[in-house]
Amino acid sequence: MSIVTANSSSSEHRIEIPELMAGVLLVGHGGFECLQYREDIPVPRPAPGEVLIRVTAAGINNTDINTRIGWYSKAVKSGTEAGGKEGFQIEDADASWSGVPMSFPRIQGADCCGRIVAVGAGVEPSRIGERVIVRNMLRSYVDYRPMECWTLGSECDGAFAQYTKAPSRETYKVECDWSDVELASVPCAYSTAEGMLHRAGVKHGEHVVITGASGGVGSAAIQLAKRRGAIVTAVAGASKADEVWALGADRVVPRGESLVGHLGREVADVVIDVAAGPAFPELLDVLRKGGRYAVAGAIAGPIVELDVRTLYLKDLSFFGCTFQDDAVFENLVSYIERGEIRPVVGKTYPLKSIVEAQQDFLSKRIGGKLVLVIPA
């Protein structure tokens, strides 16, 4: 395949792209058998307004596993771990994060780092060669309607392949000394964390409690909250305490122990939660009157017990966080380029070892981000 960049017939803008590529196809909701590594997948062509990216690295995230196993279905009442290996028995109709049935096969991968190798009509050819990351919550495909977005690797193909395409306006050039693996650690986890902090309006000097603090979103939230000058209490497994301290936490509470017992009641301004589950009531107990609770995950279980009196008598504000204002991802790029944050990479894997990577992710044995390295 020979792709010529828009508005140009110059040979300097002509790049030979293979017809086929290696990638991982998700062929349905279920267990690891639904992930199929193939080397005969057609390379996508950029439509008007899009860029074609040669993917170099792609991070592993909860959303990849949740989508595979069908956890987003309202029929599922347990945490991710319960179905992480074999999936859940569900109806496909509501098993995507948006509630719209998935189209299979799908190339997953919300975290994309790579280089632009071709552009569609209406995109400047000068973008070719840029090292980029892609905003994982895409707004272009829903005409920038408020509170609506697609997830890269869910409603459209993502980064678990040698090539992917994305809207040019949501593909960001990044100039820094980071490795591709480090850059691929940012889009999903860091934008989710920054989105929660942004929505909750976290300010300098506020006390923020962060659950799931050793995971991708939680560890990002620690760094981003400290960047804002907040005081951070992190909730994490006891074995991960040293890693969480190293990220900048001011206090670490072992997961499974009483948060109220460690902190007392009405001491925190904000809770940043990705866990939910049985510990949910205490998260509200530690909030001060007028406190804010932001949530973007429920790895410990989506069904919680809420005493509505706690909500209204303490004048609490709740923020469910999926959609992200444009400023969220733009801010992340600026933080990277100014050296204000840096991800921790736990382990890398070749693309064909995606099952091993997801098994390690589910085990929670490895701290830091798990990243797939895409073959050249």
Side-chain angles (χ1 to χ4, degrees), residues 4-72:
V4 182
T5 60
N7 303 319
S8 175
S9 59
S10 170
S11 59
E12 67 177 327
H13 290 143
R14 185 182 295 273
I15 295 178
E16 294 297 326
I17 308 292
E19 294 285 346
L20 301 176
M21 66 180 180
V24 176
L25 297 180
L26 178 69
V27 297
H29 295 297
F32 294 125
E33 74 281 355
C34 291
L35 296 171
Q36 297 184 2
Y37 177 80
R38 301 272 293 272
E39 296 182 348
D40 60 352
I41 303 170
V43 173
R45 292 175 177 266
E50 292 182 333
V51 296
L52 181 66
I53 301 166
R54 173 66 178 87
V55 183
T56 53
I60 297 288
N61 292 285
N62 267 310
T63 190
D64 307 316
I65 296 171
N66 287 340
T67 297
R68 170 176 62 79
I69 65 179
W71 181 85
Y72 291 113

Side-chain angles (χ1 to χ4, degrees), residues 10-341:
S10 170
S11 59
E12 67 177 327
H13 290 143
R14 185 182 295 273
I15 295 178
E16 294 297 326
I17 308 292
E19 294 285 346
L20 301 176
M21 66 180 180
V24 176
L25 297 180
L26 178 69
V27 297
H29 295 297
F32 294 125
E33 74 281 355
C34 291
L35 296 171
Q36 297 184 2
Y37 177 80
R38 301 272 293 272
E39 296 182 348
D40 60 352
I41 303 170
V43 173
R45 292 175 177 266
E50 292 182 333
V51 296
L52 181 66
I53 301 166
R54 173 66 178 87
V55 183
T56 53
I60 297 288
N61 292 285
N62 267 310
T63 190
D64 307 316
I65 296 171
N66 287 340
T67 297
R68 170 176 62 79
I69 65 179
W71 181 85
Y72 291 113
S73 171
K74 292 296 180 64
V76 177
K77 308 299 183 184
S78 60
T80 300
E81 186 176 356
K85 296 179 180 179
E86 299 177 356
F88 294 101
Q89 296 297 314
I90 57 165
E91 294 291 334
D92 289 349
D94 69 338
S96 71
W97 73 270
S98 63
V100 177
M102 287 281 292
S103 296
F104 298 109
R106 171 67 70 219
I107 298 172
Q108 292 186 280
D111 279 339
C112 177
C113 175
R115 289 190 180 271
I116 295 175
V117 294
V119 299
V123 180
E124 287 295 326
S126 60
R127 294 216 65 183
I128 291 176
E130 291 180 359
R131 188 167 72 143
V132 296
I133 56 176
V134 179
R135 178 162 61 188
N136 54 297
M137 307 305 288
L138 299 170
R139 300 186 62 196
S140 295
Y141 295 134
V142 290
D143 300 322
Y144 264 64
R145 291 192 296 271
M147 307 308 293
E148 292 190 40
C149 51
W150 280 11
T151 299
L152 184 69
S154 179
E155 283 65 45
C156 61
D157 286 340
F160 292 165
Q162 289 177 305
Y163 295 88
T164 193
K165 63 178 186 175
S168 176
R169 70 192 297 184
E170 301 186 85
T171 301
Y172 291 78
K173 178 182 178 181
V174 184
E175 296 181 334
C176 67
D177 62 356
W178 293 15
S179 68
D180 290 349
V181 166
E182 287 175 307
L183 276 179
S185 302
V186 168
C188 187
Y190 277 77
S191 70
T192 299
E194 179 71 5
M196 286 193 284
L197 296 166
H198 176 79
R199 290 281 294 281
V202 172
K203 298 183 289 293
H204 186 277
E206 291 192 310
H207 182 184
V208 178
V209 173
I210 298 171
T211 68
S214 62
V217 177
S219 60
I222 293 172
Q223 293 185 53
L224 292 165
K226 293 304 296 182
R227 183 201 159 274
R228 290 171 178 247
I231 300 163
V232 171
T233 293
V235 181
S239 64
K240 302 288 181 62
D242 288 345
E243 297 171 16
V244 174
W245 283 114
L247 291 169
D250 298 286
R251 185 167 188 166
V252 180
V253 175
R255 185 178 64 247
E257 296 187 13
S258 170
L259 194 58
V260 171
H262 278 272
L263 300 182
R265 296 178 182 272
E266 300 192 4
V267 295
D269 300 287
V270 179
V271 167
I272 299 296
D273 188 21
V274 296
F280 175 81
E282 282 206 335
L283 297 177
L284 305 191
D285 289 339
V286 300
L287 280 173
R288 295 190 175 99
K289 289 181 172 63
R292 291 102 72 197
Y293 168 87
V295 62
I299 57 175
I303 308 303
V304 300
E305 181 179 293
L306 169 63
D307 187 332
V308 175
R309 292 167 295 189
T310 302
L311 172 59
Y312 78 82
L313 290 174
K314 291 179 67 174
D315 289 289
L316 302 179
S317 296
F318 279 19
F319 299 93
C321 302
T322 294
F323 174 86
Q324 297 167 6
D325 291 330
D326 288 354
V328 169
F329 210 84
E330 293 163 1
N331 286 344
L332 283 180
V333 173
S334 71
Y335 303 160
I336 293 168
E337 294 187 333
R338 294 198 299 265
E340 296 176 352
I341 57 174

